[in-house]
Amino acid sequence: MSELFDAVDALLASRATLPPPAERKRLRAAHGLTIDEVATALKVRRATVSGWEAGKTEPRPPERDAYARLLDRLAELYPVAPAPAAETAPAPETPAPATLTAVPTPAQPLPTESTSDDEVVSAPLKPQVPASDLARTLASATGSTATARRPGAKKAAPAGTPVGEGDLRFENGPLAVVDADADGQVVAYCRGGLVLDVPAKSLASLVEWTLAEGKLGQPKLSGPGRAADPLLVLTQAALERYGLPTELSAEEKDAGRIPEDHKVIKQLARAEWKLTKRGFGPWARIYRPATGSERACVQLCIPSWNALDTRFWGDAGQLPPAELARVLGVYAARVMTPRGSTAVSGLELMTALHPPTRASAPDENGKRTSEHNPGSLGKDPVDPAPCEAPDGHPVLADLPRFHVRGPAEKLFEEAYDWARPMTDEECTLRYLVGLDVNMAFAAGANGLTVGLGEPTRVTNPVFDPKLPGSWLVDLSHVDLSRVKVGKEWVELDGSLLPSPFTPKGDHPEGPAWYATPTVAYAQELGYDVKPTEAWVRYDNGRYLDGWYQRLRDAYLATMADLGVDADLSPEGFLTAMDGYKDHDPELGIVITAIKATVKGGLGKLRERPRGEGWRPGERWRALERPTWRPDIRAAVISRTRINLHRKIVKHAAFTSQYPIAVLSDCVVYAANGPAPLDFLPYRDGKPLPGGFKLGINPGLVKHEGTQTVLWGEGVREQFDAPQLNFARFIKDGTVTDADNGE
């Protein structure tokens, strides 16, 4: 009888009604599940689940049964919240988007960290709707003072819209570019071409209007997180309208802010608004202390004060308001609402995806409290191991003055900067071809286990490749002339290869500190490792996975908008990449910003002192962040360098071709043809397994540039630099400083 019941249950499940596609995505995201996790559980491809959520396809038995069961359980956990009584119900033909119910979270403190860029390590969404033609035309014709309005009718959110994108609290988008015309009329340019009249006559009233009527902001990126504060971008005309300087003086640039006695700051104070410790600078935050879980905070971005650094945002700061709103709106939708420089935003994205605390389960009185959020870095900073600390850190205060630490005292995991002279045979070839690894450091973070808590010192440990940490070990016995590739030993010309263990590619001469991925690679090459000491982290996890996935999806979605899809053939990919940014220069700016977010965010993990009277041995501001983690930065760089070396070895073993130069994520080969396909070992359109593969996905490669061998030998002879790093100049061939190649 039980078998008959099971059969009936299965029959009913096979006809189960599934929620609409947008609700499927909401339920998955509400529980913090990724598409990959659902696909793995149901034993289907990632694209299959993505298609179900986009409404392009419907699941079939037996997967449909399991998928329906999953969605039913999630619907019990995360029902749709009823609309508040004060909200106006939408018109019948425009159903209200679903909103999440979530456990209330305790208020979190406002950030105080620096906004400037620190050192950097050298399923796609629907395209963002551009500004309306009418708004564009009027903005261009009248000097960006258009007051065109988008019709008030609301449409249902399209498939693929991010979770919470239809949240009525933020129906005007995450940000607005505020501009003023010659008559003093202030308008706000929002996403999708929407232009709002702004009645505010002062900066204080502008902040009040934003929070009360602007309907700006962005839903939280994770369950325990919080919604993003609205961002206002002030044009020069808006600065004049509200009594602020259109540019900073030399003294103000040095200070990074306007004086505290400025009249506008006094106006804010009279209205009981406060500024964070960074003061009123290019990225200012204006707030009132939080009451419970309610926040009252608005962030300002001032392009003419260099808020949008041209190295990472190109000419975004010079765009008309509607176009600037589009650029920043796409970045906000796909990455996050900017919180400062791209480096700051990269770091803030890590915290937004893994908040340090969450609300506990209710106690017997129904009260919730704040508790540690598993998988996060917590809310308290952690000191590094002595070998991981940069010079001047307080944990090194006992070292003699002017002491220089060597490899046996200091972890030195950095990106490649290596070059060698060309062989006689290579000099007979015609071209130097550069390959660049897409989003190399993001790919290095993907799936990487990193430490979450404090380090523990261990003597004479047995190396564990799954345990994140820093290891003191002698790898000088690893011979690159004979290594394992897969399960087989192969003979190579080790003199033509960079060492995988040092950034300069030099062979190690004795014991040195290495991150776990570097030591694990020595084992992979077929050699024993015997550490004498280690600092390991038993509390660990894949902290950066969500960070990688969001940045990857943002990158792929934007590249797809530019005509470069992930499923192109090698030939089609090379063609699509030729001048791809010219197809839509504004989205080209977004791509540059996404890449800078990756490198800058990782660089911020080891932010150095920034003046403020700091002296060696004293703490500096960045050390008070839980996200000041040089060990995580070192692990990502280590894995990125190893990933590239593994491809180089695979390529050498199969083709007997060796790199001429390597710089960070770029590698240069001598070849008889000017294009990558002239020397990459493709067969029937398929690449060498484990080698270099052309494509747009992170970890795959694109064509960086080509120069002639005669050019290469000429510049080396001209600057008397036999090991000039061609990878630094391969893109356009311009060499302006021979010292840069030393």
Side-chain angles (χ1 to χ4, degrees):
M1 185 65 69
S2 61
E3 293 180 358
L4 293 176
F5 287 169
D6 291 341
V8 170
D9 291 341
L11 187 62
L12 291 174
S14 68
R15 299 295 188 271
T17 302
L18 296 176
E23 177 67 1
R24 302 171 196 175
K25 184 171 184 178
R26 182 191 77 82
L27 291 171
R28 171 182 59 76
H31 200 62
L33 298 175
T34 67
I35 292 179
D36 290 319
E37 289 173 329
V38 174
T40 300
L42 299 179
K43 298 181 180 180
V44 296
R45 295 186 302 116
R46 184 184 192 279
T48 301
V49 178
S50 181
W52 296 345
E53 292 188 353
K56 296 179 180 178
T57 59
E58 287 296 313
R60 297 179 178 181
E63 290 83 6
R64 180 187 177 94
D65 309 353
Y67 190 47
R69 182 180 179 85
L70 170 66
L71 295 176
D72 286 344
R73 293 290 181 87
L74 292 176
E76 294 174 5
L77 295 172
Y78 307 100
V80 177
E87 291 285 342
T88 301
E93 67 273 16
T94 57
T99 55
L100 307 183
T101 54
V103 175
T105 56
Q108 299 189 19
L110 293 167
T112 60
E113 59 266 27
S114 167
T115 62
S116 55
D117 284 286
D118 195 45
E119 60 186 303
V120 297
V121 295
S122 291
L125 309 179
K126 289 278 188 180
Q128 179 79 3
V129 180
S132 67
D133 293 340
L134 178 60
R136 282 179 182 271
T137 303
L138 291 177
S140 301
T142 62
S144 301
T145 58
T147 57
R149 305 293 180 266
R150 189 177 66 185
K154 302 292 190 295
K155 295 182 180 180
T161 301
V163 173
E165 192 75 3
D167 193 321
L168 293 179
R169 297 174 299 166
F170 313 125
E171 63 178 327
N172 293 331
L175 55 89
V177 178
V178 180
D179 192 29
D181 62 20
D183 297 327
Q185 174 62 45
V186 180
V187 293
Y189 292 79
C190 306
R191 69 178 180 188
L194 174 66
V195 185
L196 304 174
D197 286 319
V198 180
K201 304 299 183 183
S202 67
L203 188 63
S205 59
L206 174 64
V207 175
E208 297 276 7
W209 172 86
T210 301
L211 294 172
E213 302 177 44
K215 294 189 176 181
L216 296 171
Q218 188 174 36
K220 59 187 178 181
L221 297 181
S222 66
R226 59 175 175 81
D229 299 319
L231 173 65
L232 299 180
V233 185
L234 304 184
T235 66
Q236 288 186 305
L239 293 173
E240 289 182 353
R241 176 66 181 80
Y242 291 124
L244 290 163
T246 57
E247 294 183 354
L248 296 179
S249 66
E251 183 178 351
E252 290 167 342
K253 287 180 181 177
D254 291 339
R257 66 189 74 186
I258 59 177
E260 294 184 5
D261 60 355
H262 193 281
K263 63 179 182 180
V264 172
I265 296 181
K266 291 181 178 179
Q267 290 172 359
L268 291 170
R270 286 196 295 270
E272 298 182 343
W273 290 105
K274 298 179 180 292
L275 294 166
T276 57
K277 292 181 181 179
R278 69 180 62 161
F280 204 126
W283 291 91
R285 297 188 72 81
I286 303 172
Y287 73 100
R288 287 184 179 133
T291 303
S293 61
E294 295 296 322
R295 289 172 57 86
C297 181
V298 172
Q299 179 161 323
L300 303 183
C301 166
I302 306 178
S304 64
W305 293 7
N306 199 35
L308 302 176
D309 193 315
T310 55
R311 294 174 298 170
F312 315 121
W313 287 103
D315 61 355
Q318 307 302 318
L319 292 175
E323 282 78 356
L324 180 55
R326 181 194 179 212
V327 168
L328 295 178
V330 172
Y331 180 90
R334 293 178 174 172
V335 180
M336 70 179 305
T337 303
R339 295 288 300 273
S341 67
T342 50
V344 168
S345 295
L347 196 70
E348 290 289 338
L349 180 60
M350 297 180 195
T351 302
L353 294 169
H354 285 287
T357 60
R358 68 179 183 183
S360 68
D363 59 18
E364 61 275 8
N365 298 318
K367 184 178 180 181
R368 301 178 187 269
T369 57
S370 176
E371 66 179 13
H372 173 70
N373 183 27
S376 76
L377 297 181
K379 62 180 181 179
D380 298 318
V382 174
D383 277 340
C387 63
E388 299 165 348
D391 294 337
H393 192 282
V395 301
L396 306 174
D398 294 337
L399 289 179
R401 192 178 183 187
F402 305 121
H403 175 73
V404 178
R405 293 183 294 162
E409 299 174 280
K410 181 180 180 180
L411 178 69
F412 194 64
E413 294 283 11
E414 298 294 341
Y416 265 131
D417 185 357
W418 170 87
R420 63 169 175 81
M422 285 190 285
T423 65
D424 292 342
E425 182 181 352
E426 288 165 343
C427 288
T428 67
L429 303 177
R430 299 180 60 189
Y431 297 100
L432 299 174
V433 184
L435 301 175
D436 181 76
V437 182
N438 298 315
M439 300 276 281
F441 294 96
N446 182 31
L448 178 65
T449 301
V450 299
L452 302 177
E454 297 182 350
T456 300
R457 183 175 181 267
V458 184
T459 57
N460 297 316
V462 175
F463 176 68
D464 182 353
K466 297 181 180 180
L467 185 60
S470 301
W471 310 78
L472 181 61
V473 59
D474 188 350
L475 299 180
S476 61
H477 63 292
V478 178
D479 182 6
L480 295 181
S481 298
R482 186 173 184 272
V483 298
K484 265 189 174 182
V485 177
K487 297 182 179 180
E488 297 182 0
W489 287 93
V490 297
E491 304 290 335
L492 301 172
D493 188 341
S495 66
L496 301 181
L497 287 170
S499 168
F501 308 127
T502 62
K504 290 292 185 181
D506 301 326
H507 193 75
E509 298 179 351
W513 285 97
Y514 302 101
T516 297
T518 302
V519 185
Y521 186 57
Q523 279 190 332
E524 181 183 328
L525 293 176
Y527 292 86
D528 293 333
V529 294
K530 296 181 179 179
T532 57
E533 185 181 351
W535 288 88
V536 298
R537 288 172 167 82
Y538 296 109
D539 179 12
N540 55 66
R542 290 167 54 162
Y543 174 72
L544 295 173
D545 273 10
W547 183 81
Y548 160 77
Q549 290 161 6
R550 187 161 181 87
L551 289 166
R552 173 205 60 196
D553 290 351
Y555 175 71
L556 293 179
T558 310
M559 289 300 294
D561 291 344
L562 288 166
V564 186
D565 295 310
D567 57 355
L568 292 171
S569 67
E571 295 83 2
F573 169 69
L574 292 173
T575 300
M577 286 295 294
D578 187 14
Y580 70 96
K581 289 186 179 180
D582 296 337
H583 298 175
D584 191 329
E586 292 171 13
L587 291 183
I589 293 173
V590 177
I591 282 293
T592 301
I594 292 171
K595 293 178 180 178
T597 302
V598 173
K599 292 187 176 182
L602 294 173
K604 275 282 185 182
L605 292 170
R606 199 190 66 168
E607 183 177 359
R608 302 305 306 277
R610 298 187 173 277
E612 303 176 354
W614 175 83
R615 293 183 179 182
E618 299 177 345
R619 296 187 70 82
W620 58 92
R621 184 186 302 180
L623 300 188
E624 306 311 316
R625 293 194 320 247
T627 49
W628 192 86
R629 291 295 299 272
D631 58 296
I632 295 179
R633 174 186 176 273
V636 174
I637 296 176
S638 163
R639 192 161 186 249
T640 303
R641 194 181 67 246
I642 294 307
N643 285 347
L644 180 55
H645 195 274
R646 185 181 291 112
K647 289 181 171 63
I648 290 172
V649 167
K650 283 265 189 179
H651 186 82
F654 190 79
T655 67
S656 297
Q657 296 171 339
Y658 296 84
I660 303 296
V662 185
L663 181 70
S664 187
D665 47 10
C666 178
V667 57
V668 177
Y669 284 89
N672 261 328
L677 287 176
D678 290 325
F679 74 96
L680 290 181
Y682 270 78
R683 289 183 176 177
D684 299 325
K686 296 181 180 180
L688 171 69
F692 296 105
K693 179 181 179 182
L694 292 167
I696 198 57
N697 281 298
L700 305 189
V701 299
K702 64 179 181 291
H703 183 204
E704 178 68 3
T706 295
Q707 305 298 327
T708 65
V709 168
L710 289 178
W711 165 87
E713 288 301 287
V715 295
R716 280 183 170 176
E717 182 177 346
Q718 177 184 351
F719 294 107
D720 191 24
Q723 290 182 281
L724 185 76
N725 194 326
F726 294 142
R728 182 174 277 107
F729 315 109
I730 197 71
K731 191 165 191 175
D732 60 12
T734 302
V735 184
T736 57
D737 185 356
D739 290 337
N740 284 339
E742 290 296 325

